[in-house]
Amino acid sequence: MVHATANPASDAFVFFGATGDLAWKKIFPALQAMVRRDGLDIPIIGVAHAGWDVERLRERARDGIEKHDTLDADAFARLSSLLHYIDGDYAEPATFASLRQALGAAQRPIHYLAIPPSLFGTVVQGLAKAGCAHGARVIVEKPFGRDLASAQALNATLHAVFPEESVFRIDHYLGKEAVQNLLYFRFANTFLEPIWNRNFIDSVQITMAENFGVQGRGSFYEEVGAIRDVVQNHLLQVVALLAMDAPTGRDVEALRAEKLRLFRAMRPLDPREVVRGQFTGYRDEPGVARDSQVETFAALRLHIDTWRWAGVPFYIRAGKNLPISATEVLVDLKRPPIGIFDEIDARDSNYFRFRLSPEVSISAGTRVKKVGEDMVGERVELVARRQLSREKSPYERLLGDAIHGEASLFTRDDAVEAAWRVVAPMVSGVPGLHLEPPSPYAPGQWGPAAAAKVVAAREGWHDPQAEDAAPC
Ligand code: BG6
């Protein structure tokens, strides 16, 4: 986002959980990039309870950047000189007294809670009592709750100290260039809007496939499963950007209002339209129960009850250990009413395909006449591809936006709660209905065979391909 906001920028960046995994993998590389690209020069204060000192934190920062990005000696030296470290128990007032001291003359710090949500209450109260919350902003990470009730409780915890406009909830998908482009592409062009509705669109499919398992995060994953991990947040956000109406103005709240209307129009999932799967071998992962019922795959049908979308199924599929890592949206248009030239195959309709990762492209699926005497055709994809090598990472973009008080890529409290209402039947259950256990699937397959039942038989699932192999 361009920082067009009139909000004053934060004048110190504090991050709790400074010795943790997120800081190592994402926060330090993002901070180095912000120093290099934007000249970030505010104090950066890491807080943790690990018995470390600032030297050790600098080493950790260097290691994280070397492993997950590229070290830039000059930018890293500047980042190192901005770094401070406070070691202390989050339950101890002394920790926050030290923080207050380290903040010095800063008037508008931003506090990033890169810590488990169970600690949010302790930390925000500690900040408030020590006078560190006044004029401050707070950034929190997903998972934002594990169901509607816990999300509401977390919101209440944060709001006891920070007003909603000072709370920045990160969903890193919203920081991805390709995800932002969905919104831009829809509303910066005129040709889509007339057809972007139930009259022309047959169905929408979103697949988020990963060709790896839980990567040692078994105990985390046991608490979430695919629906909480990526459907409630990343993929419903993608649906919102694809399906919302145009915002009525440029301001952040206009965008958020339309997204909220869309979330509220999503019908809560019907467990009979959801298939859960679990890859074989998941139960042998460290931290995973031997009889775990947690899904590593989900395929579902979502309905949006608006005049624009009534009757158009939104199919969502996400899973670990699938054949490929790729996230793709396929918007399938209705077939021509009569096949004048050749039989119209169900798979040969027009479509738009948005590749969101790892490559970024937008394609239009068309039919074109084959060279020759006969009026027969073939499918041709018109593809626009982008090279994103110099783009900002989602964390660089989102942390920069939060520091500048630019909220449009962050999720508001009411939208988070509305998204939990949509998945509630799958995460909180439905009285009288027993959830089917997840069906097993072999790693490297597209989930369990039962997933085929979720989509209309004539369509089938569209499996993202390695980009080079995709038809062009
Ligand atoms: C995270 C999930 O939010 O998103 C992970 O917790 C998932 O399970 C990841 O792998 C995917 O994000 P990206 O940007 O790497 O595709």
Side-chain angles (χ1 to χ4, degrees):
M1 280 279 139
V2 175
H3 301 136
T5 157
N7 299 334
S10 302
D11 52 6
F13 180 86
V14 180
F15 62 121
F16 291 83
T19 57
D21 232 38
L22 186 69
W24 181 60
K25 283 187 182 153
K26 304 283 186 191
I27 303 176
F28 290 123
L31 288 171
Q32 178 189 266
M34 289 157 76
V35 167
R36 186 173 45 192
R37 200 191 300 257
D38 298 331
L40 180 77
D41 65 353
I42 57 179
I44 299 172
I45 307 169
V47 188
H49 191 201
W52 287 21
D53 60 12
V54 70
E55 254 331 298
R56 180 124 186 236
L57 191 70
R58 286 191 182 118
E59 274 318 301
R60 176 78 162 171
R62 173 190 290 278
D63 189 57
I65 294 167
E66 280 172 351
K67 296 234 162 59
H68 304 107
D69 198 354
T70 312
L71 196 84
D72 172 324
D74 177 50
F76 184 72
R78 282 186 281 148
L79 171 61
S80 292
S81 71
L82 298 171
L83 268 188
H84 302 253
Y85 177 70
I86 291 171
D87 197 81
D89 189 328
Y90 300 152
E92 286 296 326
T95 307
F96 295 90
S98 308
L99 175 59
R100 184 55 269 174
Q101 215 176 7
L103 283 171
Q107 304 283 309
R108 297 177 305 278
I110 186 159
H111 303 289
Y112 184 176
L113 310 187
I115 50 177
S118 54
L119 297 172
F120 285 3
T122 313
V123 170
V124 298
Q125 289 301 334
L127 289 170
K129 286 190 190 127
C132 301
H134 186 72
R137 299 184 172 117
V138 66
I139 306 175
V140 292
E141 269 289 331
K142 81 169 253 286
F144 199 77
R146 48 176 294 103
D147 55 16
L148 177 59
S150 55
Q152 286 169 328
L154 272 185
N155 279 331
T157 300
L158 294 172
H159 291 159
V161 173
F162 294 97
E164 177 59 23
E165 60 270 23
S166 302
V167 180
F168 292 76
R169 293 177 193 78
I170 288 195
D171 178 326
H172 81 279
Y173 249 60
L174 293 178
K176 287 182 187 258
E177 187 66 37
V179 173
Q180 281 186 271
N181 195 32
L182 288 176
L183 187 69
Y184 189 90
F185 187 69
R186 282 196 55 206
F187 297 125
N189 295 304
T190 47
F191 66 90
L192 275 185
E193 184 58 16
I195 60 168
W196 213 248
N197 55 53
R198 65 192 304 277
N199 299 324
F200 288 88
I201 292 180
D202 199 55
S203 67
V204 178
Q205 288 195 14
I206 303 168
T207 295
M208 176 182 178
E210 294 179 312
N211 66 359
F212 49 84
V214 292
Q215 298 185 306
R217 296 195 308 157
S219 46
F220 159 78
Y221 206 80
E222 275 290 273
E223 295 297 314
V224 288
I227 294 175
R228 285 193 178 92
D229 189 33
V230 298
V231 175
Q232 183 271 346
N233 36 73
H234 305 332
L235 299 183
L236 290 191
Q237 290 287 343
V238 170
V239 173
L241 295 173
L242 283 168
M244 63 185 267
D245 283 341
T248 53
R250 286 177 166 218
D251 61 298
V252 177
E253 296 311 323
L255 174 72
R256 290 171 149 196
E258 286 310 326
K259 273 174 93 175
L260 179 64
R261 258 164 38 85
L262 202 276
F263 280 127
R264 290 193 170 154
M266 292 177 186
R267 205 185 293 166
L269 299 179
D270 179 341
R272 290 164 305 188
E273 296 181 322
V274 180
V275 167
R276 298 189 308 135
Q278 187 185 77
F279 67 80
T280 44
Y282 173 68
R283 293 177 182 183
D284 304 327
E285 294 276 343
V288 172
R290 296 293 161 257
D291 58 351
S292 173
Q293 301 291 303
V294 168
E295 79 282 353
T296 60
F297 171 95
L300 59 94
R301 186 187 300 202
L302 175 74
H303 303 271
I304 301 178
D305 292 328
T306 60
W307 277 46
R308 191 195 276 268
W309 296 116
V312 179
F314 281 70
Y315 301 120
I316 298 179
R317 184 171 58 153
K320 301 279 186 198
N321 263 335
L322 301 190
I324 184 176
S325 284
T327 301
E328 204 162 286
V329 174
L330 190 83
V331 178
D332 219 351
L333 272 68
K334 294 202 158 142
R335 282 113 195 102
I338 299 173
I340 295 183
F341 304 116
D342 33 21
E343 281 304 307
I344 302 292
D345 184 299
R347 308 287 307 200
D348 271 338
S349 59
N350 294 143
Y351 60 85
F352 286 99
R353 188 168 68 82
F354 299 90
R355 178 80 152 200
L356 304 183
S357 78
E359 306 81 9
V360 176
S361 62
I362 299 179
S363 316
T366 64
R367 285 193 68 78
V368 170
K369 184 184 166 301
K370 277 189 190 167
V371 175
E373 297 314 306
D374 298 329
M375 288 295 274
V376 292
E378 62 188 339
R379 188 165 77 176
V380 171
E381 262 200 345
L382 312 175
V383 187
R385 278 211 176 87
R386 290 279 296 277
Q387 291 293 335
L388 291 184
S389 52
R390 283 176 296 107
E391 301 298 324
K392 290 185 176 182
S393 73
Y395 274 88
E396 180 188 352
R397 171 173 288 124
L398 293 171
L399 296 184
D401 277 9
I403 286 174
H404 288 90
E406 163 59 59
S408 53
L409 298 181
F410 296 86
T411 317
R412 207 169 59 186
D413 52 355
D414 46 12
V416 170
E417 292 177 15
W420 278 119
R421 279 194 189 90
V422 177
V423 299
M426 295 306 298
V427 301
S428 311
V430 178
L433 197 85
H434 179 68
L435 275 192
E436 293 286 324
S439 311
Y441 63 96
Q445 293 194 337
W446 284 102
K453 288 190 306 202
V454 171
V455 284
R458 68 189 166 83
E459 290 157 358
W461 284 104
H462 158 78
D463 298 334
Q465 306 293 310
E467 266 296 77
D468 287 340
C472 271

